[in-house]
Amino acid sequence: MPSLESFYQEYPCSYNSPLNCDRPFQTAQQIKGAKFCLECGFLATLPQEAEIKGSQGTYQINSYCGVRGLGRLYSGIQLKDKQPVIIKEYLLPSRSFNENETIKRKETFKRVGGISLADSRIQNFRLVETKEAIADDKIERCYLIAKGIDSSQTLAKYIIEKGAMTPPQVREFLNQALQTLQFLHTQKLRFPSNQVQLGLTHGNINLDSILIKLEAHQKFSIYFCDLAIWENLFIPPIIPQPTTARPEQDLQSLGMVAFYLWVGRTTNLSSNQPLDPRDNQQWPDTDNHLKQFIYRLMGLETAFASAEAARQALLQLPKEDNTNIPVGSSAAVEVQKRLPMPLILLLGILVFLLLGGGIWYWLLSGKKTNEPNLTQWGTLLRAFAEVPNLPSGNFTYTGEKDSTWSFILTQPVDDSRLGNLLTKPRPDATAIYKYESILSADVNNPIKSIEEVQTGKKDFAITSLENRITSQLKKEQIAYDGLTVFVAFNKRDSNLANALGGQISLEQLRQIYTGKITNWQQINPKLANPLEIKPFAPTEPEAIAKFQEIVLQNNPQDKALFAAKVTQQDTTKTQNQIRSETLEGRATGIISFGIISKTWKQCSGYPLAIANGNKPATQPLFQKRDRRSINPSDDLCQHDDYYVDVTTFQSYPLGYPIFVVYPQDSNRQVGGSTFARMLTTRQGQCLLSKVGLVALQPMPDDINSYACKSVP
């Protein structure tokens, strides 16, 4: 199936992926009854307690759970008997599907959405049980109601959290999966339309369409879901439609899934490219019988005739064998000949020299790489559970209404929202932390949250305004925040980011935002045509306060000019305006700034490196593959290819600390100090990094890596 980022391009999503974007969820949270995302017009998520009526009953939404495959997931209940269900919402947005296509796909979905045994027997063949398929006649949505599987997760999430499976675990996975495919391919099955069919191909086997439920003593059960016969109905017509899959393709897809589970990842760590099973070096060498079996399953050697034949061969495999026999070659059956002793000696010397040279080269070249020094990271407490002396009781803390902290609490992280995770960070403790944002009366002096702590109305606050913290309060740094300055970016054409060399200075920013520089030719006279500068600023008072502090040096005259000449607008709206003007083929001179959590992982604007005086410009965003700072030739639409380099960020001119602030009074400081200690564990630093803050110390580059996910 094509990447989701190629879907729904008719909607100008700043993340380039409307289905995975969190803005439709935010719109539904902020505006009661909202049907569409305020920023791009894509369908908003369903609100809590929304009801869906079907022929088998009425279902109520409990909470939004995220995206799986081509649909959104919600937990819910069937109102009649209060039984829990999982609701998968499929979308047919009007800009991507015309009226005829929508009607056809809805009708087909009602006919084929879900399967059962034709003879009505109840048997557990590890297929997620579907209750009914509902197509809404009034809006552009369909719903598949399914029985929930407690404590289950997709295989994709499993390998992120647990890492690679052992060979016995992979064998057990294949045993269960092949048994399910044998059933699916050979049994008489009934669709909701009462049509009976002999055998069905899954057609959509991948790490996201198989669930795993962990049980006691390292046992597990797997469940297949999201069959292609209904899942593919929601691929927009502009995307090439998949052909009908055959049973042998199910086996090949299953082989790839087993390969990924055994390796514990889907990409090559050195190249960041998808793993190639034909490359023998990518395989573990712990069980060559299993390796040979998976090769056959994928069709890279003599393919199995059916799922049944494959399962019988699996059950007859010899036990685990780590003899290093290359898969896919005749070496497995060659008779080894004894080499003459002098030749063995020469080969041994050669191997020794090569090995020694390799080690020497690695030691020398290791000094040149930008590998993070994780020494300090290793000294941190591992998780919230390791923080001692937790207090009891309810604590209320605060921050500015439109601050970074208020925004990041709404962001999705680890199958939840950061705000939900931090309300009760330790389920085993009785401390509950409730966040209440507050709006300062004077948006030019956003200090209300600090005053609330000082007067005893709140237990502590989160702020980046260090110069507003009085001597009556204590502060503990929990992360770095910062501003990025961005201009129009279009990788396919010559663009403003290129013309600026990917950078700008603080002095140039000061002159732009006070109206002293009004045309980009004043900065780069080589620009072919004059281009008016359109300066924008975000709506967050703290962000503006930090910009005025760092760039304008709080000069009263410059602040007055800033207020008179600069348009304030939500960062996402500015990104969308850049995107719209670029798509229309117009040269746009927009420049804006915003907090990192709203400006990373988007590709409408290029984040410029910042120069301060005579110092070289600093670009803290690094390209993952080459471990170097990004430049305007990089494709920023590949969000997983770049990250914030913590060491570099510490010298970034527009970076600044973010603090937990609490009273000096020892009787009142316990809630804030403990909260700060939890956020500075490895678990806390990982969570903050995932939502757009920057860790206090170098940490694993990949914030979704096993090193981050392994903390409970």
Side-chain angles (χ1 to χ4, degrees):
M1 189 180 70
S3 166
L4 279 181
E5 290 195 354
S6 62
F7 285 33
Y8 316 121
Q9 289 297 302
E10 300 84 356
Y11 293 84
C13 172
S14 57
Y15 286 84
N16 243 17
S17 184
L19 187 62
N20 281 319
C21 180
D22 62 335
R23 306 294 162 84
F25 173 78
Q26 289 175 21
T27 299
Q29 293 286 97
Q30 294 164 5
I31 302 175
K32 187 175 181 180
K35 296 290 192 297
F36 304 98
C37 174
L38 285 177
E39 292 158 6
C40 74
F42 193 68
L43 292 159
T45 56
L46 297 172
Q48 195 172 11
E49 297 186 355
E51 293 185 2
I52 300 165
K53 293 184 179 179
S55 60
Q56 307 296 318
T58 301
Y59 310 91
Q60 185 180 72
I61 299 290
N62 284 342
S63 63
Y64 173 59
C65 302
V67 172
R68 188 184 74 213
L70 296 183
R72 296 166 172 163
L73 294 182
Y74 304 84
S75 65
I77 57 170
Q78 185 167 0
L79 288 178
K80 181 180 178 181
D81 55 12
K82 304 299 182 185
Q83 288 299 306
V85 293
I86 293 294
I87 301 166
K88 185 163 186 181
E89 173 198 33
Y90 292 102
L91 306 174
L92 294 161
S94 58
R95 296 185 203 172
S96 303
F97 298 84
N98 64 36
E99 187 176 356
N100 281 339
E101 290 162 346
T102 297
I103 292 171
K104 276 186 187 175
R105 295 181 190 228
K106 282 184 175 181
E107 288 301 319
T108 305
F109 179 69
K110 287 190 291 186
R111 291 199 313 271
V112 303
I115 56 172
S116 59
L117 278 167
D119 58 11
S120 300
R121 284 178 295 145
I122 304 297
Q123 283 188 264
N124 178 16
F125 281 98
R126 290 182 288 274
L127 282 172
V128 172
E129 181 184 336
T130 52
K131 289 179 173 287
E132 64 173 314
I134 303 169
D136 197 306
D137 294 331
K138 297 178 182 177
I139 54 178
E140 307 154 341
R141 308 177 194 244
C142 294
Y143 311 100
L144 191 71
I145 313 298
K147 182 179 178 182
I149 300 170
D150 293 339
S151 305
S152 66
Q153 60 184 166
T154 64
L155 290 178
K157 290 179 180 175
Y158 172 89
I159 60 173
I160 289 173
E161 291 190 6
K162 303 293 184 182
M165 280 188 172
T166 63
Q169 288 176 318
V170 176
R171 289 183 182 223
E172 176 57 23
F173 161 76
L174 286 169
N175 179 40
Q176 293 186 31
L178 288 169
Q179 190 177 34
T180 301
L181 288 183
Q182 182 181 341
F183 157 78
L184 194 60
H185 292 169
T186 60
Q187 294 292 311
K188 281 188 178 180
L189 303 170
R190 187 184 302 278
F191 292 106
S193 61
N194 278 328
Q195 177 188 348
V196 173
Q197 177 175 316
L198 179 61
L200 178 66
T201 302
H202 187 293
N204 185 39
I205 294 176
N206 55 62
L207 290 169
D208 284 316
S209 66
I210 304 177
L211 308 181
I212 183 168
K213 178 182 178 182
L214 302 180
E215 298 163 355
H217 308 299
Q218 296 188 329
K219 292 185 178 180
F220 59 84
S221 296
I222 63 162
Y223 297 85
F224 283 75
C225 56
D226 302 340
L227 273 65
I229 194 167
W230 61 77
E231 189 87 359
N232 288 352
L233 292 171
F234 302 94
I235 297 176
I238 197 172
I239 306 292
Q241 303 294 293
T243 56
T244 303
R246 301 183 305 279
E248 56 267 31
Q249 290 172 305
D250 276 354
L251 298 183
Q252 292 165 11
S253 299
L254 181 63
M256 282 301 295
V257 169
F259 172 54
Y260 292 145
L261 288 175
W262 196 4
V263 178
R265 60 182 187 277
T266 60
T267 56
N268 188 315
L269 293 178
S270 58
S271 67
N272 205 32
Q273 297 300 308
L275 288 175
D276 182 1
R278 293 175 180 81
D279 180 358
N280 197 54
Q281 293 184 346
Q282 301 298 330
W283 289 80
D285 58 2
T286 50
D287 188 342
N288 280 283
H289 297 301
L290 177 60
K291 191 187 301 186
Q292 199 82 27
F293 176 83
I294 295 175
Y295 241 64
R296 288 191 64 189
L297 204 58
M298 290 189 290
L300 299 178
E301 288 191 352
T302 307
F304 294 108
S306 65
E308 181 181 6
R311 184 164 180 262
Q312 290 303 316
L314 176 71
L315 296 175
Q316 294 170 17
L317 275 186
K319 291 184 179 180
E320 186 174 338
D321 172 22
N322 61 1
T323 305
N324 194 13
I325 303 170
V327 174
S329 75
S330 57
V333 294
E334 284 182 359
V335 177
Q336 296 183 7
K337 295 183 178 179
R338 189 180 298 274
L339 292 172
M341 183 56 68
L343 184 55
I344 293 175
L345 185 59
L346 286 173
L347 286 173
I349 293 171
L350 181 60
V351 168
F352 176 80
L353 291 173
L354 288 173
L355 182 61
I359 292 171
W360 178 250
Y361 176 81
W362 179 80
L363 288 172
L364 287 177
S365 62
K367 296 177 182 178
K368 301 176 184 178
T369 63
N370 194 33
E371 291 289 340
N373 184 344
L374 301 181
T375 304
Q376 191 177 354
W377 173 257
T379 65
L380 300 181
L381 292 178
R382 193 167 159 272
F384 296 157
E386 295 181 5
V387 175
N389 304 320
L390 285 188
S392 299
N394 296 333
F395 300 93
T396 304
Y397 72 109
T398 189
E400 284 294 324
K401 183 177 180 182
D402 289 319
S403 65
T404 295
W405 191 260
S406 291
F407 174 71
I408 66 172
L409 287 181
T410 68
Q411 297 307 290
V413 58
D414 292 358
D415 300 326
S416 185
R417 301 278 155 183
L418 183 62
N420 296 336
L421 291 174
L422 296 183
T423 299
K424 192 173 183 183
R426 277 184 55 173
D428 63 326
T430 57
I432 295 176
Y433 296 89
K434 182 182 178 184
Y435 181 71
E436 293 179 356
S437 64
I438 194 162
L439 182 63
S440 293
D442 181 1
V443 294
N444 295 314
N445 190 26
I447 61 169
K448 183 69 173 174
S449 60
I450 296 174
E451 290 176 346
E452 291 279 293
V453 178
Q454 197 160 299
T455 58
K457 294 179 181 177
K458 298 290 187 291
D459 292 297
F460 59 94
I462 311 286
T463 184
S464 59
L465 303 180
E466 185 175 8
N467 58 1
R468 272 44 165 216
I469 301 172
T470 68
S471 59
Q472 296 173 285
L473 302 173
K474 277 191 173 184
K475 63 184 181 185
E476 286 195 43
Q477 187 176 341
I478 55 170
Y480 289 102
D481 195 7
L483 305 174
T484 57
V485 177
F486 57 93
V487 294
F489 176 67
N490 184 351
K491 187 174 181 293
R492 293 169 295 182
D493 309 311
S494 59
N495 56 69
L496 187 53
N498 264 326
L500 297 173
Q503 66 181 56
I504 199 165
S505 70
L506 290 181
E507 176 58 24
Q508 288 168 333
L509 284 174
R510 186 188 69 78
Q511 294 190 53
I512 286 172
Y513 277 88
T514 55
K516 295 180 175 62
I517 294 178
T518 58
N519 197 288
W520 287 111
Q521 276 190 332
Q522 292 174 262
I523 292 180
N524 183 359
K526 294 182 180 179
L527 274 172
N529 300 304
L531 183 60
E532 180 190 359
I533 295 176
K534 299 178 185 176
F536 283 79
T539 53
E540 294 88 1
E542 276 191 18
I544 292 173
K546 294 305 295 187
F547 185 87
Q548 292 179 339
E549 175 190 327
I550 299 169
V551 178
L552 306 183
Q553 298 293 298
N554 281 331
N555 181 292
Q557 183 179 356
D558 284 351
K559 289 170 70 173
L561 289 169
F562 175 96
K565 296 180 181 296
V566 176
T567 302
Q568 286 190 30
Q569 180 172 271
D570 180 77
T571 298
T572 304
K573 289 184 178 178
T574 304
Q575 292 166 348
N576 287 341
Q577 185 173 336
I578 289 174
R579 181 183 174 89
S580 297
E581 292 182 14
T582 303
L583 289 174
E584 291 168 9
R586 290 188 282 154
T588 177
I590 291 175
I591 182 172
S592 189
F593 64 91
I595 56 176
I596 291 175
S597 48
K598 281 194 174 183
T599 54
W600 74 332
K601 295 190 177 179
Q602 55 80 40
C603 51
S604 297
Y606 180 83
L608 297 169
I610 305 297
N612 185 9
N614 296 323
K615 297 177 183 177
T618 303
Q619 174 57 268
L621 287 176
F622 269 47
Q623 203 261 13
K624 214 171 247 185
R625 179 176 178 180
D626 300 323
R627 304 184 63 82
R628 58 159 175 80
S629 56
I630 61 168
N631 62 58
S633 66
D634 289 321
D635 185 358
L636 298 187
C637 292
Q638 300 296 320
H639 303 149
D640 292 336
D641 283 350
Y642 64 93
Y643 63 98
V644 179
D645 182 75
V646 175
T647 304
T648 306
F649 190 84
Q650 291 170 357
S651 60
Y652 179 60
L654 294 180
Y656 44 85
I658 188 166
F659 299 95
V660 171
V661 178
Y662 53 87
Q664 292 274 8
D665 180 357
S666 58
N667 293 323
R668 290 185 53 218
Q669 66 180 227
V670 62
S673 63
T674 305
F675 196 72
R677 277 186 289 152
M678 284 191 288
L679 292 179
T680 50
T681 61
R682 274 183 271 171
Q683 181 179 6
Q685 294 290 281
C686 282
L687 288 173
L688 296 182
S689 297
K690 289 177 183 180
V691 292
L693 293 181
V694 181
L696 294 174
Q697 60 289 304
M699 58 182 289
D701 293 337
D702 184 0
I703 56 178
N704 292 308
S705 69
Y706 183 64
C708 253
K709 294 293 288 189
S710 61
V711 289

